[in-house]
Amino acid sequence: MNRFTIKGKVKIIENDGKKIVIKEKKKNLKDLFEYLSSRGYEYFPNITNERNNSLEYEYLEKENTFNDNIDEDMINMVSLLHYKTAYYKNVSQSKFKEIYNKLIDNIDYLKDKYSKKIELIDNEEYMSPSSYLFARNYTIIMSNLYYIEKELNKWYKLVKDKTKERVCVVHNNLKKDNFFRGKKNILTGWDNYLVDTPVLDIYKLYRSEYNNVDMEYLLKVYNENNKLNEEEIILFNILISMPLNTNEELNEYDKVKEIKSCLFYTYKTSNFIKSNVFN
């Protein structure tokens, strides 16, 4: 008799002591994994069967033993993925212009949003705790946006005349939950993979795990295995410096918590950039 277990987006079926993992098919991962294997990269789940709308994978038991090197193992797998699949792709200059315009528009939007917010706070008869916290740190918040704008202009000057860009297979969903340690260490959650700049992966990893792992050490390890060039480093620093999103509809208590989290992220990221881990 089959036993079914649902874990997140996968279904585990057990029959006569044997287990298989079934997941909805969103992309042709079989071709991707064959390509990765041809490049000498094997840190992906083993597909055992392919159906019209689903993929079956070999079931692996997760290792529960404590290991200090688990984060380093993960970043080594990521850097190896980028290194093994990297090549220089012809690109139109409009691509870099589109990135620049999108980011500068976002910066202008945030400047305007925060300026209007501080005007409203200045007109409050009695400041709420969240308003006080925002007003007290307004200079830091705006200084961060001016830093991003300065670095963005610097990045665009470097890339605006380039016709080639280093790209690689990008996992595009990096977080510790998608690192599996067992008899075979693998990355899971490949449904969003792209061929794009390696910056995309390490930026998303930073945003998801900045408070859970030692990012300075991990990205030093990454850079030893797959050294970023100047424009990639600048773009990475720009992306991680963008403020965390905020929700104005929260109650006062949660607004204070959210602003504190945003300020902590900005402070921690500023210190990370000053550490010059890529140099």
Side-chain angles (χ1 to χ4, degrees):
M1 184 176 179
N2 290 345
R3 290 180 57 192
F4 294 85
T5 305
I6 305 294
K7 287 189 175 181
K9 296 180 180 180
V10 303
K11 181 189 294 183
I12 300 171
I13 300 177
E14 183 175 359
N15 185 21
D16 294 330
K18 295 182 179 179
K19 296 179 181 179
I20 59 171
V21 178
I22 299 178
K23 189 174 182 183
E24 179 186 359
K25 183 167 75 172
K26 295 182 179 179
K27 283 189 176 181
N28 192 342
L29 296 183
K30 191 173 182 180
D31 284 354
L32 169 67
F33 295 162
E34 286 177 358
Y35 169 72
L36 293 180
S37 185
S38 75
R39 304 289 293 185
Y41 187 86
E42 301 288 346
Y43 299 109
F44 50 81
N46 181 33
I47 297 174
T48 58
N49 195 16
E50 184 176 13
R51 301 181 185 275
N52 288 336
N53 300 313
S54 65
L55 292 170
E56 293 181 8
Y57 295 94
E58 176 187 6
Y59 178 83
L60 295 173
E61 290 286 351
K62 198 162 191 175
E63 186 179 284
N64 293 319
T65 55
F66 178 80
N67 191 310
D68 286 336
N69 296 325
I70 190 167
D71 296 333
E72 188 172 343
D73 287 346
M74 176 182 66
I75 203 67
N76 277 324
M77 288 164 59
V78 173
S79 57
L80 187 63
L81 170 68
H82 295 168
Y83 178 78
K84 290 276 191 179
T85 62
Y87 66 96
Y88 281 85
K89 177 183 177 182
N90 291 326
V91 292
S92 66
Q93 293 174 353
S94 64
K95 177 182 178 180
F96 299 120
K97 184 64 174 176
E98 286 170 7
I99 294 171
Y100 175 84
N101 287 340
K102 183 176 180 180
L103 289 171
I104 205 72
D105 286 348
N106 195 11
I107 294 166
D108 289 341
Y109 164 77
L110 290 171
K111 282 183 186 175
D112 183 61
K113 175 183 174 181
Y114 296 151
S115 295
K116 287 176 178 175
K117 184 170 183 174
I118 200 68
E119 287 177 12
L120 290 173
I121 290 172
D122 286 342
N123 291 324
E124 289 180 5
E125 186 174 357
Y126 301 104
M127 279 190 194
S128 66
S130 63
S131 293
Y132 175 76
L133 186 60
F134 180 86
R136 186 178 178 185
N137 292 280
Y138 177 71
T139 301
I140 294 171
I141 293 167
M142 295 301 287
S143 294
N144 183 52
L145 292 179
Y146 289 120
Y147 161 79
I148 297 170
E149 185 175 27
K150 176 177 70 71
E151 291 300 297
L152 182 57
N153 287 323
K154 179 180 175 182
W155 171 80
Y156 188 61
K157 285 180 181 178
L158 280 174
V159 301
K160 64 186 178 77
D161 295 322
K162 288 184 179 286
T163 58
K164 289 183 180 292
E165 177 190 24
R166 181 168 71 154
V167 297
C168 59
V169 172
V170 172
H171 182 276
N172 201 29
N173 192 21
L174 283 181
K175 52 188 174 182
K176 287 184 74 171
D177 286 347
N178 282 333
F179 173 68
F180 183 95
R181 185 183 206 118
K183 69 176 184 180
K184 178 185 178 183
N185 294 343
I186 59 173
L187 288 173
T188 63
W190 290 85
D191 292 329
N192 299 320
Y193 86 89
L194 300 169
V195 174
D196 209 324
T197 170
V199 171
L200 189 59
D201 259 350
I202 56 173
Y203 152 68
K204 289 191 174 183
L205 180 64
Y206 183 94
R207 291 286 263 203
S208 66
E209 302 293 349
Y210 73 94
N211 203 31
N212 302 320
V213 301
D214 183 350
M215 277 296 171
E216 287 185 27
Y217 174 72
L218 289 189
L219 291 177
K220 278 182 182 178
V221 172
Y222 175 93
N223 205 49
E224 288 171 1
N225 297 332
N226 189 55
K227 191 170 181 63
L228 296 183
N229 59 40
E230 184 181 6
E231 59 261 32
E232 289 168 342
I233 294 170
I234 296 172
L235 182 59
F236 175 75
N237 287 341
I238 290 166
L239 293 175
I240 64 171
S241 296
M242 294 299 292
L244 298 181
N245 293 329
T246 57
N247 181 2
E248 296 297 326
E249 303 303 317
L250 296 174
N251 62 48
E252 185 61 24
Y253 174 77
D254 287 334
K255 278 184 181 178
V256 171
K257 282 180 62 179
E258 187 176 68
I259 293 171
K260 283 183 177 180
S261 294
C262 292
L263 290 169
F264 175 75
Y265 176 84
T266 298
Y267 173 77
K268 190 162 189 173
T269 299
S270 176
N271 285 339
F272 170 85
I273 292 171
K274 288 174 184 175
S275 70
N276 291 317
V277 300
F278 297 114
N279 298 318

